[in-house]
Amino acid sequence: MNPKKDLVGIEKLTAPEICQYLDLADNFLEVLARPIPIVPALRGKTILTLFFEASTRTQISFSIAAKRLSADIVNFSQTASSVKKGETLLDTARNIEAMKVDGVVIRHSAPGSALFLGQRLEAFVVNAGDGAHEHPTQALLDFMTMRQHFKSFDKLRVLIIGDITHSRVARSNIFGLRTLGARVAICAPPTLIPLEIDRLGVEVFYDLDGIIGEYDVVMALRIQLERQQAGLFPSVREYRACYGLTAERLRRMKPRSIIMHPGPTNRGVEIDPEVADSTRSVILEQVKNGVALRMAVLFIHAGGKIE
Amino acid sequence: MSSILIKGARVIDPRSKLDAARDMLIRQGKIARIEKSITAPKARVVRAKDQVVVPGLIDLHCHLRDPGRPDEETIATGSEAAVAGGFTSICCMPNTDPAIDNESIVNYIYKEAARVGLCNVLPVGAITKARAGKEITEFAELQHAGVKAFSDDGDTVADSSVLRHALEYSKAFDVPIFEHALDKELARDGLMNEGLVATRLGLKGSPAIAEELIVARDLLLAGFTGARLHVCHVSTRGAVELIRRAKREGVRVTCETCPHYFYFNDEVLESLDVNFKVNPPIRSEVDRQAIIEGLKDGTIDCIATDHAPHCRAEKELEFANAPYGMIGLETAVSLAVMELINRQKMSWLDVMRKLTVNPAGIIRIPAGCISVGAAADITIIAPDEKWKVSEEQIRSRSKNTPHLNKELVGRVTNVILNGRVKYSLKDGQ
């Protein structure tokens, strides 16, 4: 399978394309378990991570993934607001082009920024989150984690709880899970559900307690506290009461179901500490899988060779 | 001034409902004769076989950025774009820098337009001083200086009390209030139409209700005050329905839509081409169909361009940070021909009405018709001619159009203003 130059989103990927990433990531998990977890697959390649939005774990995850593949990695971060005033993304793109890097991992607050960059660079571009649009590597590592716990996506029931409107993780998960054949539901206050989302083939619920017992995967999203200030929900207390993953709700979940969260968690808001740290929680597995998955993404798009 | 004889054209005059093959003789700036066959040996002959002759087109809504942003457009470049698009009269919106809110700016625009001498440039005055939405401008002085309508376009008059007083006050001058109708808070930071496509792209939506809420308020205020309201750039089904009902109830309301609202639906935003980012946004297919229906049944009186030039640097930004607006003077006729006449099978008379006699009536200017004795403002269109939009060809100083490098059908070939040829495609442009 010949991959596209860039990974800008999950929406346009086919099921075999998604599985190609997951299969390779499973192989890289074995590499990561070795005493010296490094392969020379991308030796001589230079990868730039370009983060215009605060992030630590995603950027670190990409950096470690690149190092495990023996690539040279250059990290850059700057908040988008200072970029807006001076250098445009287009200028940035031209400068990168002139410096001849092989790949760029970009996070930016503007939806479409990865596509924008990808269309203008010869280097491959991986989207590490473009506004509320997509976060494909997060979704892929989520699929990888789900696949480790459940044999197949067919008839797998996934519930995503939280701020769907502003969540790139939700979008990428919805697109991919629908492609893979899972059944997806979302549950949130109606103010955090975007118009016509049902037309993407998801079921929409407002009452978490009525449905929480029916899902194999329950994914909580991080709730940004500025949404409360914007009037989208009245208080953190009420949000937790209605949509928080509490120990009580954990008890009513399906046997063998798992709890996921893209991180970082607001402990005591969308997820209680005893739930996040429970045996049903796979949050740290997600982080671990993240490195392997990002190795797979970089490997495939950089045209790496297995020796 | 030499005479001009237009031979063999299909002459269309929406006011008199003339649609027939005619020759037309123009002498001393006026239409001298309209007959089946005219011979005038001394006249300059414009052969217009298979072409359509219509009254010089009138655009109620464009942005010329003058004074303020000569890097984006000037009265000179805007006038060139206007005649290349078939317009002989254009209304320029007051969101300039400084705003058109006093006599001196109006005088400047008339003086500069006269110096350029390509088309009539008719300023729209600001409703409120500095377009700040607080105190109304001096309507009497501005109208005396030549303002044809009042608008805070770019912004809605958010304060209902200010709008009420503006509408009331306007009655003394029989002048329309052009309202940019969008609820500021509901539309805040909206990058495209709120709906399925925005949901998929993760772009913040500007909902149809933001437009409809203000249209409803404005219609109620227009009915209450008895003043003349003109709703700018109508884009949603709900707004069309509200206006249709208000008209039936006798409210003195007119409205316009723009080519991009009947030509595109919001699926085009998938490209994230910043040239599709306009305000109000390009709506859903359901809305587009309702706009076409409103054009057909007469609810929508005019087609205006909302020509909004932006410099290249601004339109090279990421979608979220780029400004709203596309240029439209030079493509409006083609889009009307392609969508409304060719696809929707509307008649030339009905489509041209919305570009001539209807806008003329709204701003009360003696233009927009073809009759013996009238000023010879004439536009000639080759309805089947295909042409490709190119940057070199665009006369506007800004090139922000999604039609760039696209092939369009229907092209303006000649424009005559007061009996003088201001644009001729054949003469090497």
Side-chain angles (χ1 to χ4, degrees), chain A residues 25-246:
Chain A
D26 285 342
N27 291 338
F28 281 130
L29 266 186
E30 291 165 29
V31 171
L32 291 174
R34 293 179 194 164
I36 300 171
I38 295 185
V39 288
L42 297 187
R43 185 182 287 158
K45 302 272 187 190
T46 305
I47 291 163
L48 171 66
T49 69
L50 205 55
F51 275 55
F52 295 107
E53 245 186 14
S55 156
T56 42
R57 61 187 67 203
T58 304
Q59 197 169 17
I60 289 170
S61 180
F62 270 107
S63 298
I64 292 175
K67 285 177 194 293
R68 298 286 183 252
L69 293 168
S70 307
D72 293 316
I73 182 113
V74 181
N75 291 314
F76 174 82
S77 32
Q78 189 180 18
T79 56
S81 57
S82 59
V83 173
K84 211 157 117 182
K85 288 186 198 110
E87 193 183 25
T88 64
L89 193 57
L90 184 67
D91 286 326
T92 308
R94 286 177 177 150
N95 279 284
I96 295 168
E97 193 70 18
M99 285 187 263
K100 296 283 171 214
V101 299
D102 298 289
V104 178
V105 177
I106 180 175
R107 168 169 293 188
H108 196 287
S109 60
S113 47
L115 177 75
F116 180 94
L117 209 57
Q119 287 168 342
R120 285 160 182 82
L121 291 184
E122 261 182 60
F124 73 87
V125 170
V126 174
N127 182 5
D130 59 333
H133 180 218
E134 285 229 39
H135 191 356
T137 57
Q138 176 69 44
L140 290 171
L141 73 88
D142 291 340
F143 305 155
M144 180 183 174
T145 310
M146 290 177 207
R147 204 171 70 162
Q148 288 163 350
H149 287 266
F150 303 95
K151 293 263 146 35
S152 147
F153 289 99
D154 192 36
K155 296 197 179 71
L156 184 72
R157 302 199 62 180
V158 180
L159 175 65
I160 305 173
I161 306 165
D163 184 358
I164 310 298
T165 299
H166 302 95
S167 177
R168 51 191 171 218
V169 176
R171 276 181 186 74
S172 289
N173 264 282
I174 289 168
F175 294 140
L177 288 169
R178 294 294 301 137
T179 300
L180 294 167
R183 290 179 60 184
V184 185
I186 58 173
C187 186
T191 46
L192 297 176
I193 293 176
L195 285 188
E196 301 190 75
I197 186 97
D198 53 309
R199 290 177 63 189
L200 297 181
V202 300
E203 290 182 279
V204 178
F205 297 99
Y206 309 132
D207 175 24
L208 181 57
D209 287 318
I211 56 162
I212 191 152
E214 296 168 27
Y215 294 89
D216 304 301
V217 177
V218 175
M219 182 186 297
L221 300 174
R222 179 177 170 80
I223 191 88
Q224 303 282 353
L225 298 179
E226 64 254 34
R227 308 295 174 221
Q228 188 268 320
Q229 283 144 21
L232 295 174
F233 60 93
S235 67
V236 166
R237 197 172 70 142
E238 181 151 304
Y239 184 85
R240 177 181 175 272
C242 297
Y243 300 101
L245 282 182
T246 59

Side-chain angles (χ1 to χ4, degrees), chain B residues 48 74 78 100-101 135 223 232 259 328 406 413:
Chain B
T74 61
I100 307 174
D101 65 356
E135 297 170 34
C232 295
K406 298 273 165 25
T413 59

Side-chain angles (χ1 to χ4, degrees), chain A residues 11 90 133 171 195-196 200, chain B residues 194-196 199-201 316:
Chain A
E11 186 175 14
L90 184 67
H133 180 218
R171 276 181 186 74
L195 285 188
E196 301 190 75
L200 297 181
Chain B
E194 188 170 340
L196 179 65
T199 291
R200 283 179 37 224
L201 294 173
E316 276 179 349

Side-chain angles (χ1 to χ4, degrees), chain B residues 176-198:
Chain B
I177 297 290
F178 285 14
E179 172 79 320
H180 167 104
L182 276 176
D183 183 277
K184 243 182 202 159
E185 297 306 324
L186 282 172
R188 186 175 293 284
D189 301 329
L191 301 172
M192 65 170 291
N193 182 50
E194 188 170 340
L196 179 65
V197 183

Side-chain angles (χ1 to χ4, degrees), chain B residues 289-409:
Chain B
Q289 292 296 338
I291 294 294
I292 290 167
E293 194 49 46
L295 284 163
K296 284 181 177 169
D297 75 6
T299 302
I300 299 175
D301 303 273
C302 308
I303 297 165
T305 64
D306 199 3
H307 177 82
H310 285 292
C311 66
R312 194 174 133 185
E314 288 183 351
K315 279 292 187 185
E316 276 179 349
L317 293 173
E318 316 78 78
F319 194 89
N321 297 327
Y324 300 96
M326 64 169 84
I327 57 169
L329 283 167
E330 293 165 78
T331 49
V333 165
S334 303
L335 302 180
V337 167
M338 290 164 76
E339 180 62 39
L340 301 179
I341 293 173
N342 293 354
R343 275 187 218 123
Q344 301 294 335
K345 307 296 176 204
M346 284 179 71
S347 71
W348 274 87
L349 276 172
D350 281 344
V351 173
M352 288 301 138
R353 192 186 312 283
K354 296 170 198 300
L355 286 157
T356 56
V357 66
N358 285 1
I362 290 167
I363 54 170
R364 307 272 197 260
I365 57 170
C369 61
I370 290 175
S371 59
V372 172
D377 293 356
I378 298 293
T379 294
I380 308 179
I381 300 165
D384 303 320
E385 185 167 331
K386 296 188 171 89
W387 63 291
K388 198 171 169 189
V389 183
S390 68
E391 252 188 61
E392 304 76 62
Q393 209 167 44
I394 292 171
R395 304 300 185 89
S396 172
R397 181 153 290 172
S398 296
K399 317 294 174 191
N400 54 304
T401 167
H403 302 290
L404 209 56
N405 303 319
K406 298 273 165 25
E407 190 178 80
L408 303 182
V409 178

